[in-house]
Amino acid sequence: MPPATDDPVVAELERLRHEAEACEKCLLAETRTRVVFGEGDPHADLMFVGEAPGYHEDQQGRPFVGQAGKLLEQLLATIGLSREQVYIANVLKSRPPNNRDPKPEEIEACQPYLLRQIGLIAPRVVCTLGNFSTKLLSGSQTGITRVHGIPQRTRIGERELYLYPIFHPAAALYTPAMLETLKQDFLRLPEVLGLPLDGNLESTGDQMLPTPTGDQVLPTPSGADAPSAPAAAAPASDPVTPPPAPPVRRGPAEQLGLF
């Protein structure tokens, strides 16, 4: 039973966690060790959404606790944040066997939990890590190599926010060029968090940060951009002409199919 709390968001997240822990909507319920619901500040302005739990996450019931999680914590430190100050979740709440790619029916089963989490936490920015979360929440099948580092003002459910796709830390662990791009995209998060949200996607003053000068679109590995699963309802987005780029302050993978 959820602990008593005066915070309605915390209480509702706990109810949702218990619902997810009892979920048997897909076959992953038969192979998982623990449900990995998500954790962090329930009122965070910044939320990260990855792909699925790996081995360590499945054992501990916590997201991003392996090597990719260590890298995520290091990246957070470069912008003055800790994992306790953000919220971290995944598209899937259960580990796929052998860390294979999520199947469409698994994404469909878990999607309501993720959308409800976003609705309750109400972040200003949802930072999608890799292909699966980016494609699901953007409603587009465009791969992460083409959209990384470009914030998109959008609406998910009733929440207006910025979607900010970046490479998954697990993929960057193996590719130095990708890791450098991930670091530069991460350093732009403070600017993205400061972009305005006026509640009107039709307004003409909307902004998106452009890709940093000289940023290269990395080649896509064979099959990596194959469609995963369509979103139930594609969020409304607001494409605009980006302003000049603001100055940038310099400062084994657990899943496959991340880039």
Side-chain angles (χ1 to χ4, degrees):
M1 188 172 181
T5 175
D6 293 331
D7 188 327
V9 172
V10 172
E12 188 58 32
L13 282 171
E14 282 302 307
R15 280 191 287 270
L16 189 63
R17 177 194 298 274
H18 283 266
E19 181 181 334
E21 289 173 343
C23 182
E24 297 181 349
K25 293 179 181 177
C26 75
L27 294 178
L28 294 182
E30 299 178 2
T31 58
R32 70 188 179 216
T33 303
R34 298 183 64 178
V35 166
V36 183
F37 179 73
E39 68 178 28
D41 183 353
H43 301 286
D45 285 336
L46 176 58
M47 180 176 179
F48 291 89
V49 179
E51 177 187 319
Y55 171 80
H56 296 288
E57 290 78 12
D58 181 58
Q59 294 297 307
Q60 298 183 37
R62 300 179 58 213
F64 283 84
V65 293
Q67 291 300 313
K70 292 178 181 178
L71 177 55
L72 179 60
E73 290 177 13
Q74 293 170 5
L75 292 168
L76 281 168
T78 66
I79 59 172
L81 293 175
S82 68
R83 65 181 292 147
E84 291 77 21
Q85 294 174 288
V86 301
Y87 197 92
I88 305 173
N90 282 305
V91 171
L92 296 191
K93 307 306 183 190
S94 301
R95 180 197 180 199
N98 301 313
N99 293 341
R100 62 159 170 74
D101 287 349
K103 294 181 178 180
E105 62 269 22
E106 296 163 353
I107 295 174
E108 182 180 2
C110 275
Q111 178 174 302
Y113 298 117
L114 176 61
L115 296 181
R116 185 64 177 144
Q117 283 175 302
I118 294 172
L120 289 167
I121 296 163
R124 291 183 60 85
V125 175
V126 172
C127 190
T128 52
L129 305 173
N131 260 331
F132 283 92
S133 57
T134 298
K135 290 178 177 181
L136 177 68
L137 294 180
S138 69
S140 168
Q141 292 302 306
T142 304
I144 189 66
T145 55
R146 293 174 175 83
V147 299
H148 74 87
I150 305 174
Q152 185 178 37
R153 190 164 176 254
T154 189
R155 188 179 301 277
I156 297 178
E158 297 180 356
R159 299 296 182 186
E160 183 186 350
L161 51 82
Y162 283 94
L163 201 67
Y164 188 59
I166 61 177
F167 288 119
H168 196 293
L173 286 171
Y174 282 107
T175 311
M178 190 179 295
L179 177 58
E180 182 58 30
T181 300
L182 174 60
K183 289 179 178 178
Q184 295 307 315
D185 286 347
F186 217 93
L187 287 173
R188 305 179 55 157
L189 271 168
E191 279 82 17
V192 180
L193 284 163
L195 291 176
L197 290 172
D198 59 13
N200 179 13
L201 285 176
E202 302 299 322
S203 67
T204 58
D206 304 328
Q207 297 182 15
M208 287 164 51
L209 293 178
T211 303
T213 303
D215 192 16
Q216 297 293 318
V217 174
L218 301 179
T220 303
S222 177
D225 273 340
S228 51
S237 60
D238 189 27
V240 297
T241 302
V248 176
R249 293 190 296 275
R250 303 292 176 183
E254 293 169 1
Q255 291 129 318
L256 300 178
L258 302 173
F259 53 92

